[in-house]
Amino acid sequence: MSIAVLDCGPVRVHQLQLGPMSNYQYVLDNGKVAVTVDAAWDIPKIRRYVEKKELRLVAGLYTHGHFDHVGGKFPGSSEGPVQGALELQDLPLYLGVRDIEAAELQTQVAASKWHPLKEGDKVQLLGDDVQIWVIDTPGHTLGLMFTGDTLFLKNVGRTDLPGGDPSSLQRSLARLSGAVDGAQILPGHSYDSPPKRADLATVRRTNSAMKAAMARFPSPPPLPWSRSKVEL
């Protein structure tokens, strides 16, 4: 397991590389409690890591419902399912409202176990000083920006999967480009690492897909939080 830790004042971000698909899975903590982001591969190892840090795991957040992020059966494979949310259902689980039906089928975690999220929701699981905002970024199938498979550092997620749409993805990329320059992009895979993360100003400058999206959609809808100042 490859680990990198980013200290952002009231929150620490632990970037864990696990699984055979170069996935980044994240643990966010405030020094006392922790939440996971896209915990799908080797859940026991993630739990041990959190316990070793003397933290209490309180929730699991998911960026989207694909099996390599949320767990469940590998499409078209006879191999056993990826652990994922099924092994975290003792905790509150959060996922975009439009992904819950598919996630229920994929993971066998009942829809009633999921807390539905929508654009503009603010999740405060790590105290008043840590605000987690929800941005709806359709197209792949979505401070610190956990972009899942919408945006990688040098590329973007696929649009040839069910629910994918190139135009919607470009609109999502253009919208994400409106965050502050110093926002740290934390993607769902390490396909194009190193580096493991980058600030948005660098991604805008070097990611050809984002540049094309910004040119096509120069005036996207604003993001849900104030962008007047971010300290990282």
Side-chain angles (χ1 to χ4, degrees):
M1 178 171 64
S2 173
I3 302 171
V5 180
L6 178 63
D7 193 337
C8 301
V11 63
R12 286 184 303 175
V13 179
H14 309 254
Q15 186 184 57
L16 316 178
Q17 186 173 340
L18 288 166
M21 298 183 68
S22 300
N23 279 76
Y24 283 140
Q25 299 169 120
Y26 296 92
V27 173
L28 284 63
D29 84 84
N30 65 0
K32 296 180 180 180
V33 299
V35 300
T36 62
V37 178
D38 282 358
W41 305 89
D42 206 339
I43 301 302
K45 184 174 290 186
I46 295 174
R47 286 189 183 270
R48 289 194 299 270
Y49 177 81
V50 171
E51 291 171 0
K52 186 176 180 180
K53 298 295 182 182
E54 299 183 344
L55 301 166
R56 180 170 59 90
L57 194 59
V58 297
L61 308 178
Y62 290 92
T63 61
H64 63 296
H66 282 177
F67 84 96
D68 57 322
H69 290 259
V70 79
K73 189 71 174 175
F74 191 115
S77 172
S78 60
E79 296 183 8
V82 178
Q83 298 160 334
L86 188 63
E87 292 200 13
L88 287 176
Q89 61 178 327
D90 58 310
L91 303 172
L93 301 175
Y94 294 79
L95 179 66
V97 63
R98 293 188 298 177
D99 280 319
I100 288 178
E101 183 179 355
E104 180 181 25
L105 294 173
Q106 180 73 30
T107 65
Q108 304 305 306
V109 175
S112 60
K113 293 280 189 178
W114 296 96
H115 292 256
L117 298 174
K118 62 183 184 303
E119 166 75 24
D121 282 351
K122 183 171 65 173
V123 183
Q124 290 187 264
L125 298 167
L126 298 175
D128 294 339
D129 292 334
V130 181
Q131 299 178 354
I132 301 171
W133 289 88
V134 178
I135 311 170
D136 187 20
T137 58
H140 166 63
T141 52
L142 144 213
L144 301 167
M145 299 176 71
F146 297 91
T147 56
D149 286 359
T150 296
L151 175 64
F152 305 137
L153 300 186
K154 302 173 186 175
N155 212 319
V156 296
R158 294 168 57 180
T159 58
D160 60 339
L161 301 171
D165 178 71
S167 292
S168 293
L169 182 60
Q170 281 200 316
R171 289 188 180 92
S172 297
L173 294 172
R175 192 161 182 240
L176 291 178
S177 74
V180 294
D181 290 351
Q184 294 291 304
I185 303 301
L186 297 162
H189 291 271
S190 63
Y191 294 153
D192 45 16
S193 67
K196 295 184 175 183
R197 62 179 183 271
D199 59 55
L200 180 59
T202 299
V203 175
R204 283 200 213 100
R205 187 176 66 252
T206 60
N207 188 315
S208 59
M210 176 166 268
K211 289 194 290 185
M214 292 166 60
R216 183 179 178 188
F217 299 104
S219 301
L223 294 168
W225 62 82
S226 170
R227 301 195 300 276
S228 59
K229 185 176 182 182
V230 168
E231 298 289 347
L232 292 174

